[in-house]
Amino acid sequence: MRTLALLLVALAAAGAAPAHEADPGAASITPENLMADVRALTAPELGGRLPGTAGYDEAMRFCSERFASLGLTPGGDDGWLQRLTMELNRIDGCELTLVGADGVVEPLALGSDFACRGFTGSGVADAPVVFVGYGLSLPERGHDDYAGLDVRGKIVLAIKPAPKWEPVDGEGWGDAHLPRPKARAARDHGAVGLLLVPHPVAMRPQPAIASVLHGPGEQVGDLPQAELTTAAAARLCAGGLPELAGLVAAMDEAKAPASRELPGRARLAVDAAYEPAAPTANVVGLLPGTDPELRDECLVIGGHLDHVGRQGEVVWPGANDNASGAASVLALARAFAEGGVLPRRTVVFVLFAGEEQGLNGARWFVAHPARPFERTIAMLNLDCVAHGDSIQIGGGGSQPVLWNLARGLDAAQARLSTARTWPGGGADAEPFHEAGVPTLYFASTPSYKHLHQATDAPETLNPMLHKELTRLAYRTAVDIVQGWYIGEGEKSR
Ligand SMILES: [Zn+2]
């Protein structure tokens, strides 16, 4: 794989003009500026930017002040803020100790061996562990991992993802495999705690991740819920990982439950506080278009500001996901505001809340436009844009003209984009795509080594890649707002 340093040497040797000579906007996007903003957004005081908390509010204030200092126009319904509410679960403490099949007591390390599920309930569960397969109780649909099992007063251990195979009715698993419906099934059967583990066969060994994606339905506030590594979970089985993997393989082979009591036990203690509708906001700034014919059309440039927060003393900083994308949005705002380009169309800069919970902020933005424009000509999403060594641009399967525009601009500059793309939107671009807005999704690649782990820290980022990707997004945005790109049709330049 080509390194950026080699590429820059090659460009210099070829006598290519440095980008900044031609383009002060792009030149204002520097690794130093980007990393300064990433560091500010990942500071421990911001607590992993969980919407509804003081840390997320501080991140909103940081971005609002930047927009103000750049002379943007407030684009929210309350100044820079577009207010909305969403569920919030503050996790003030959590501990998990296993008593292995061998009787050895092992306290697990929060943030590496295990993490609470974002919408865990509170309480202390200290009980033997029962393996409940995929944790699905759908007897009316021909599958019940709890059939014939007494889990009252027990902690249940379930495989986290949905089965790869279909239920007998062929209707798919729907939302039943998500953590909240699994928690409800566990609680309804009298269990006192839920442990989720990655699939031990189908997946590479996975770390325990923190996640606030929980699925529909009522909060199960009295059931502590955590996710642990396969290696930790295997200690609950007499035969270790081979036994756990064998149980799951047998279950997948037979497409039938293989639930059973395990010799190990666990103690899971969680202190959490749930709010069904905590106030939070998207942050929105506008750069009004200057062309009387085109200024009622807009380009939306967005990235999510939120991450998964903290649990007890452990903070998930979310440097790549998505302090990097938020820093890029701020850098793009600066490039437009100070780079001398007078955009013909209006540029809307948005930092979304609640992506991690299920695209809440982006969905809200699309459904409740604070400024209704005649047309949103395109949306550029920046999410996980600074880890790795290359650039991936999603959405090309649905928007080949837009994708080729960005790819062509990259070919003339950094030449870091891969040929891989995907159709549709993805993440915060998805609600825009669903609404018929052409989208591109900028991400670095390989981007997800530290995804949702406490190790997603600024030191793991590639600042030069971050700069090149952000400059590429900027050049793409300039072409869109200046009219070179004219939507469904041709690129006319
Ligand atoms: Zn993200």
Side-chain angles (χ1 to χ4, degrees):
M1 208 163 286
R2 190 163 37 207
T3 70
L4 186 57
L6 278 174
L7 192 66
L8 291 174
V9 169
L11 283 174
H20 61 264
E21 283 182 11
D23 190 340
S28 77
I29 298 167
T30 65
E32 294 75 23
N33 287 348
L34 289 164
M35 286 306 294
D37 286 350
V38 167
R39 289 209 177 82
L41 293 171
T42 54
E45 308 83 77
L46 270 61
R49 306 184 304 283
L50 188 67
T53 65
Y56 183 86
D57 289 352
E58 177 60 23
M60 292 195 308
R61 194 192 57 75
F62 180 84
C63 296
S64 303
E65 285 184 358
R66 176 66 55 79
F67 284 167
S69 76
L70 293 172
L72 266 51
T73 303
D77 46 37
D78 179 8
W80 304 101
L81 304 184
Q82 182 184 33
R83 296 199 179 270
L84 65 154
T85 62
M86 64 185 78
E87 292 177 285
L88 166 65
N89 202 36
R90 291 172 212 269
I91 301 174
D92 292 321
C94 55
E95 292 171 10
L96 176 58
T97 299
L98 301 186
V99 183
D102 53 9
V104 175
V105 178
E106 185 188 16
L108 299 188
L110 175 62
S112 51
D113 296 331
F114 85 104
C116 282
R117 289 301 306 182
F119 283 87
T120 176
S122 280
V124 179
D126 189 349
V129 177
V130 180
F131 176 67
V132 291
Y134 286 95
L136 299 162
S137 185
L138 305 164
E140 69 287 357
R141 302 191 48 205
H143 185 91
D144 188 359
D145 286 310
Y146 288 86
L149 216 55
D150 183 2
V151 300
R152 281 172 297 175
K154 309 279 176 61
I155 292 173
V156 294
L157 171 71
I159 304 299
K160 182 175 68 164
K164 289 270 187 265
W165 34 275
E166 288 279 300
V168 286
D169 61 13
E171 297 291 319
W173 299 104
D175 291 326
H177 72 282
L178 291 169
R180 186 175 267 167
K182 282 187 183 176
R184 206 155 45 242
R187 199 263 321 268
D188 289 351
H189 286 85
V192 293
L194 170 64
L195 298 176
L196 294 168
V197 63
H199 193 293
V201 182
M203 295 177 169
R204 286 169 288 143
Q206 276 198 332
I209 62 162
S211 169
V212 292
L213 192 66
H214 52 289
E218 268 175 47
Q219 169 71 350
V220 188
D222 55 358
L223 188 84
Q225 302 149 41
E227 172 170 344
L228 74 176
T229 60
T230 321
R235 297 196 53 248
L236 298 163
C237 303
L241 187 56
E243 183 186 337
L244 181 63
L247 274 178
V248 178
M251 191 166 61
D252 287 345
E253 174 75 26
K255 300 183 181 176
S259 306
R260 67 193 57 194
E261 293 178 10
L262 299 177
R265 58 183 292 141
R267 181 181 187 278
L268 176 59
V270 180
D271 176 10
Y274 174 75
E275 289 177 45
T280 186
N282 297 324
V283 184
V284 192
L286 309 177
L287 198 59
T290 54
D291 185 326
E293 304 265 301
L294 293 176
R295 67 186 170 209
D296 286 336
E297 297 184 350
C298 76
L299 166 69
V300 175
I301 298 176
H304 71 89
L305 185 58
D306 66 301
H307 194 52
V308 297
R310 74 187 308 152
Q311 299 183 5
E313 295 308 309
V314 179
V315 175
W316 275 257
N320 193 43
D321 185 15
N322 188 32
S324 70
S328 291
V329 173
L330 297 178
L332 285 156
R334 179 184 300 283
F336 270 101
E338 297 183 347
V341 167
L342 296 175
R344 297 172 67 199
R345 295 186 168 95
T346 297
V347 194
V348 182
F349 301 94
V350 196
L351 297 145
F352 297 112
E355 188 269 352
E356 304 287 6
Q357 249 186 64
L359 319 179
N360 296 14
R363 289 199 190 287
W364 185 267
F365 183 90
V366 169
H368 306 86
R371 306 289 172 97
F373 288 96
E374 187 181 291
R375 190 154 83 103
T376 301
I377 187 164
M379 188 271 182
L380 305 183
N381 187 43
L382 294 113
D383 192 347
C384 295
V385 293
H387 182 87
D389 56 25
S390 310
I391 299 169
Q392 182 163 295
I393 307 167
S398 303
Q399 296 295 332
V401 174
L402 204 48
W403 188 68
N404 282 323
L405 166 68
R407 292 260 297 159
L409 291 167
D410 178 59
Q413 297 281 345
R415 287 189 277 167
L416 286 168
S417 74
T418 66
R420 216 188 130 237
T421 186
W422 62 81
D428 287 321
E430 191 63 25
F432 291 86
H433 171 74
E434 287 170 3
V437 174
T439 63
L440 288 182
Y441 182 153
F442 290 85
S444 56
T445 184
S447 200
Y448 305 121
K449 183 171 178 215
H450 299 277
L451 190 71
H452 287 229
Q453 294 175 64
T455 53
D456 181 5
E459 304 75 59
T460 68
L461 303 187
N462 178 344
M464 295 301 281
L465 178 71
H466 195 184
K467 175 203 74 174
E468 292 296 351
L469 185 150
T470 308
R471 287 185 178 185
L472 175 60
Y474 171 68
R475 293 187 182 101
T476 306
V478 169
D479 268 16
I480 294 170
V481 295
Q482 299 305 67
W484 314 129
Y485 165 77
I486 49 175
E488 303 300 306
E490 310 292 299
K491 181 188 171 195
S492 62
R493 186 167 207 175

